[in-house]
Amino acid sequence: MHTVTILMSTYNGEKYLKDQLNSLINQIGVNISVLVRDDGSTDSTCEILEEYRNRMVLTWYSGENIGSARSFLHLI
């Protein structure tokens, strides 16, 4: 089975984050690994990431708000 690593940058994404992560969990025929950089969220995004860290292969860290493009560069 193939392994796919997903790079995700989040910022105040509490409204949709659980749906996105559940969609990744439900993938069939592939192992999913997720690396997330939070771009300084002030909502419950980090708490959601911590919750899902225990449910799937998910590693995350938080940094200062630098915008989505630079945030993805950090992930790469």
Side-chain angles (χ1 to χ4, degrees):
M1 190 176 313
H2 290 90
T3 299
V4 175
T5 300
I6 307 294
L7 303 179
M8 179 184 289
S9 178
T10 58
Y11 179 73
N12 290 343
E14 69 183 4
K15 186 173 180 180
Y16 301 106
L17 185 56
K18 286 184 179 185
D19 287 339
Q20 289 175 319
L21 295 173
N22 287 331
S23 175
L24 295 174
I25 288 171
N26 292 324
Q27 295 301 304
I28 298 171
V30 64
N31 293 319
I32 300 292
S33 171
V34 183
L35 176 59
V36 182
R37 180 189 182 277
D38 180 72
D39 199 31
S41 291
T42 57
D43 64 0
S44 65
T45 295
C46 294
E47 289 83 5
I48 294 168
L49 292 171
E50 190 60 26
E51 173 191 338
Y52 276 78
R53 184 182 64 85
N54 298 316
R55 296 179 58 196
M56 61 189 299
V57 180
L58 185 144
T59 304
W60 74 277
Y61 65 100
S62 186
E64 66 179 274
N65 185 275
I66 57 174
S68 60
R70 289 181 57 203
S71 184
F72 274 107
L73 286 175
H74 274 259
L75 287 164
I76 292 171

